Amino acid sequence: MAEAAPKKENPMRELYLEKLCVNLCVGESGDKLTRAAKVLEQLTGQQPVFSKARYTVRTFGIRRNEKIAVSCTVRGQKALEILERGLKVKEYELYKENFSATGNFGFGIDEHIDLGIKYDPSIGIFGMDFYLVMGRKGFRVARRKKAQSRVGAPHRIDKTDSMKWFQQKYDGVLLTGKPKNRSSNRPMKKKRKK
């Protein structure tokens, strides 16, 4: 009897980074928003898109349809380079809570200067969110116009697949528990005395 050949990995099952969405929410329009757009353009090398507020919130001082954020979608090799810089800031540590059920994941950084962008006093310092959409070969069948079909359940990406990809590709560490909110803008809640 012939010896069994080593089992090969199915190339269709390989995970890859489909796109990286970088979001920078300022919460107000005007000069601060244009400076944020400049930061995003320096990081991605692309023209960012402005996002509008969905409805008026008087406590935040924003009106409906007012531009309050800038975002950019990056694909390909450039996305992997920016992701590498972002993960270096996080020291390749992410929480399990950062991963969604559909296999996508995201994280935030507090200061853009940690990414290697030179500090400019006229621009200031901004934090930003990174969100990664993972994909597999064959996902196009769900998006194409002709002969559109669904992606089968075994081929879909779930939380464990993307966690494994993160650990193998970047030697990442997965932390348990919930991410701590270390935002410098929000004051810590004081515990009430009884």
Side-chain angles (χ1 to χ4, degrees), residues 13-22 72-87 94 99 103-107 130-137 139 143 157 161-162 165-166 169-170:
R13 299 278 300 162
E14 283 176 23
L15 251 71
Y16 67 92
L17 178 62
E18 202 169 289
K19 62 183 173 182
L20 166 69
C21 303
V22 185
C72 213
T73 302
V74 191
R75 296 168 198 269
Q77 195 59 41
K78 184 77 175 171
L80 289 169
E81 288 169 20
I82 295 169
L83 171 62
E84 183 79 41
R85 284 158 68 180
L87 287 172
L94 291 178
F99 292 82
N104 305 324
F105 65 97
F107 59 91
F130 288 76
Y131 198 75
L132 294 94
V133 178
M134 303 302 293
R136 264 192 185 131
K137 290 179 181 176
F139 274 24
R143 298 194 188 117
I157 302 170
D161 291 335
S162 56
W165 178 85
F166 167 67
K169 188 163 171 93
Y170 294 104

Side-chain angles (χ1 to χ4, degrees), residues 23-87:
N23 183 41
L24 206 155
C25 188
V26 178
E28 60 184 71
S29 58
D31 187 43
K32 198 173 180 182
L33 191 66
T34 53
R35 287 182 293 167
K38 222 174 269 182
V39 167
L40 213 53
E41 196 169 350
Q42 281 177 349
L43 177 67
T44 60
Q46 295 175 197
Q47 190 72 36
V49 175
F50 291 91
S51 304
K52 294 176 180 178
R54 276 187 250 167
Y55 37 79
T56 303
V57 181
R58 292 191 68 186
T59 52
F60 297 150
I62 57 168
R63 291 185 304 278
R64 187 170 181 265
N65 290 333
E66 182 184 3
K67 291 179 181 177
I68 57 166
V70 283
S71 60
C72 213
T73 302
V74 191
R75 296 168 198 269
Q77 195 59 41
K78 184 77 175 171
L80 289 169
E81 288 169 20
I82 295 169
L83 171 62
E84 183 79 41
R85 284 158 68 180
L87 287 172

